[in-house]
Amino acid sequence: MTGLVLAIETSCDETAAAVVDGRRVLSSIVASQAELHSVYGGVVPEVAARHHLTTVNAVVDEALREARVSLDDIARIAVTRRPGLIGALLVGVATAKALAYATGKDLVMVDHLHGHIAAVWLAPLSLDAPFVALTASGGHTRIDLVEDYAAPQLLGQTLDDAAGEAIDKGARLLGIPYPGGPGLEQLAREGDSSAFDFPVGLQGRGPGLDFSYAGVKTALLYVVRDLGEEGTAARRADLAASYQEAIVRPLADRLLRAAEIHGMPAVSIGGGVAANGRLRQLVEEGAAARGLMVAIPERSLCTDNAAMIGAAAAFTPAIPWPQYVGEDAIATAPPGGIAA
Ligand code: KG4
Ligand code: ZN
């Protein structure tokens, strides 16, 4: 299929729209609500949905304007259908359905995680299958075998918390506002990652590709409690560096191990946690040492955005006009994790 795709993403707390032309990103607009939610220490679903509603049309207009195209030039409209906050998803889905219906276009309903994986298909990375993909975000942590972009296969996933969730909760214990990832990374740069020995989930439990992050979070809680307020303040940077290392090292290790087990020539990372400099470094170095190709999207294509939804749309069947009118958003992931 050819032609311009207008993509819309509203699954969590970023209102995003993009125009993509095959692998080329003509525009990618992201209006983040993070500041709005930081006073609550996390995303408030109802606040997110209402804010998407006030912002989405302007973000779509901006994406078209920056790409220097009009709605008439668009061949198909793509939107994140699942998984995510239901009220937030509904705003994107209703907007996309209305735009597509009114202009007689087909609609592509995309899985958010499929988007994170497909981000490396976009130029300038332009990674072709086969490869092994790590996706680590606020809600998901998984490794997929991508022999075909249309059908990623789950190899391993977190058995409890997502890596981003552990990062955000740990950052909060260290007094870093939501979302904690960027602040934790900044603080960790001044610290010693070997100062504290945090447990690495499922380490030494055979060749598995699963993750566990509940233990490391609790371990940080106990250390902070034992150190007390003053002690914690004095060791904040060392705590941040050690905690970050305990979270990102298993991500890199399991990804590289998955490539080895499945004889894959390349690895990729995606999702908000893939914006982390230490994870990027570990994956780059590990891949180089093993002679693997590595695809790491620029940071703005790791955190939530609509360009990646436009990429996944290239591998998702379009629903012809007007058959999508009765289609809905879905909060949950399907069995197996990705609806491709
Ligand atoms: O993919 P994403 O933007 O949204 C979800 O789909 O969840 O991921 C958000 C997660 C948050 O937990 C955030 O703290 C984390 O990605 N994150 C980071 C960094 N930037 C964002 N984690 C570590 N280091 C970063 N620089
Ligand atoms: Zn995401």
Side-chain angles (χ1 to χ4, degrees):
M1 270 191 288
T2 53
L4 298 183
V5 177
L6 168 66
I8 298 172
E9 149 69 42
T10 63
S11 67
C12 191
D13 62 342
E14 333 276 358
T15 317
V19 177
V20 300
D21 180 10
R23 293 189 195 243
R24 275 196 322 136
V25 181
L26 303 188
S27 65
S28 180
I29 308 296
V30 179
S32 177
Q33 308 176 1
E35 222 166 276
L36 205 64
H37 298 284
S38 71
V39 284
Y40 305 106
V43 178
V44 182
E46 187 62 21
V47 173
R50 280 168 192 269
H51 199 71
H52 283 309
L53 204 53
T54 61
T55 318
V56 70
N57 288 336
V59 170
V60 167
D61 287 346
E62 181 68 12
L64 292 169
R65 210 176 54 79
E66 200 176 293
R68 295 173 189 277
V69 299
S70 75
L71 206 46
D72 290 342
D73 302 319
I74 299 294
R76 282 182 308 289
I77 295 182
V79 66
T80 305
R81 170 188 226 175
R82 72 193 300 178
L85 304 170
I86 191 67
L89 286 163
L90 274 170
V91 175
V93 167
T95 304
K97 277 187 351 185
L99 280 175
Y101 183 75
T103 55
K105 300 182 201 302
D106 297 349
L107 184 71
V108 195
M109 301 189 88
V110 172
D111 188 302
H112 181 81
L113 295 177
H114 198 193
H116 276 306
I117 291 172
V120 292
W121 181 72
L122 296 168
L125 294 175
S126 306
L127 181 68
D128 285 318
F131 61 99
V132 179
L134 167 72
T135 310
S137 69
H140 303 270
T141 302
R142 55 184 287 143
I143 292 177
D144 286 272
L145 178 64
V146 188
E147 288 178 301
D148 175 351
Y149 268 107
Q153 294 165 259
L154 179 68
L155 294 179
Q157 61 184 329
T158 183
L159 302 179
D160 39 57
D161 296 347
E165 190 180 345
I167 284 174
D168 291 342
K169 286 185 177 152
R172 196 173 177 183
L173 283 174
L174 298 176
I176 297 163
Y178 173 85
L184 186 81
E185 179 176 0
Q186 203 180 349
L187 186 59
R189 274 194 220 116
E190 297 151 32
D192 172 4
S193 64
S194 61
F196 292 89
D197 195 14
F198 288 118
V200 171
L202 304 183
Q203 196 181 36
R205 289 221 217 146
L209 297 171
D210 288 331
F211 303 92
S212 169
Y213 284 112
V216 69
K217 202 181 61 189
T218 310
L220 177 65
L221 179 69
Y222 288 148
V223 171
V224 164
R225 191 181 294 170
D226 290 347
L227 284 172
E229 214 169 297
E230 259 179 48
T232 298
R235 305 291 308 275
R236 262 177 102 230
D238 285 345
L239 285 165
S242 304
Y243 188 68
Q244 173 181 270
E245 192 73 10
I247 290 174
V248 301
R249 188 171 277 283
L251 295 175
D253 285 351
R254 302 242 199 324
L255 173 68
L256 296 164
R257 191 194 294 167
E260 212 162 84
I261 293 171
H262 292 273
M264 287 290 119
V267 294
S268 75
I269 61 175
V273 179
N276 184 270
R278 179 63 180 149
L279 175 61
R280 296 163 83 91
Q281 180 192 11
L282 286 172
V283 170
E284 252 164 33
E285 289 174 359
R290 290 165 179 77
L292 296 168
M293 271 191 300
V294 57
I296 301 181
E298 64 172 81
R299 285 180 167 77
S300 62
L301 290 178
C302 291
T303 48
D304 286 350
N305 66 88
M308 70 182 196
I309 302 305
F315 304 98
T316 309
I319 308 174
W321 183 93
Q323 293 172 19
Y324 43 77
V325 170
E327 295 290 335
D328 245 327
I330 303 171
T332 54
I338 292 181

